[in-house]
Amino acid sequence: MAADSGLAAIDHVGLAVADLDAASDFYTDLLGVPPSHREEVPQDGVRAVFFDLGSASLELLGSTSGDSRVARFLGRRGEGLHHIAYLVTDIEAELAGWRRRGAELIDEHGRPGARGRLVAFIHPKSAHGVLTELCQLRDQSS
Ligand code: CO
């Protein structure tokens, strides 16, 4: 993204896991801290567990439905890095910037996502193979 980019920071990195409870136990032990947040996101067919690490978080994603995006990802590629999420201050302006660059948007507009954020996803083929999530804190929206 170029000079008008409003990507402020990495908000979180999302990992797709086959067994959310086992992965959550693993990272609790590895990081020495319990999850900061757990949430089911029914509209995405996932359960998410977050660990805070400095200014960014780790998001573990388990599928709750056989046809969710995460289930398809796990079936195709197995466990691993699923997406990188950037914090933005104006998600609609940011999406307009991606649209101008010809990106394939999975979400044309921000929509409710985990942890109360507004989120929108960009197709991996428009970001060098990485599913990209934009996140806006809702109390910052005008
Ligand atoms: Co995410």
Side-chain angles (χ1 to χ4, degrees), residues 1-11 85-98 100-101 132-137 140:
M1 305 295 284
D4 63 346
S5 172
L7 303 184
I10 291 181
D11 183 77
Y86 296 93
L87 197 59
V88 302
T89 53
D90 184 342
I91 200 167
E92 297 303 328
E94 200 59 37
L95 284 167
W98 283 87
R100 269 200 312 279
R101 292 173 176 83
T132 299
E133 176 182 358
L134 308 177
C135 288
Q136 180 180 338
L137 302 178
Q140 285 185 352

Side-chain angles (χ1 to χ4, degrees), residues 60-83:
L60 306 180
L61 288 165
S63 178
T64 56
S65 126
D67 61 351
S68 70
R69 295 186 68 85
V70 170
R72 292 201 302 273
F73 179 95
L74 288 167
R76 210 167 52 238
R77 294 163 68 165
E79 293 188 302
L81 177 64
H82 183 261
H83 65 274

Side-chain angles (χ1 to χ4, degrees), residues 12 59 83 85 121 133:
H12 64 270
E59 176 183 26
H83 65 274
F121 285 88
E133 176 182 358

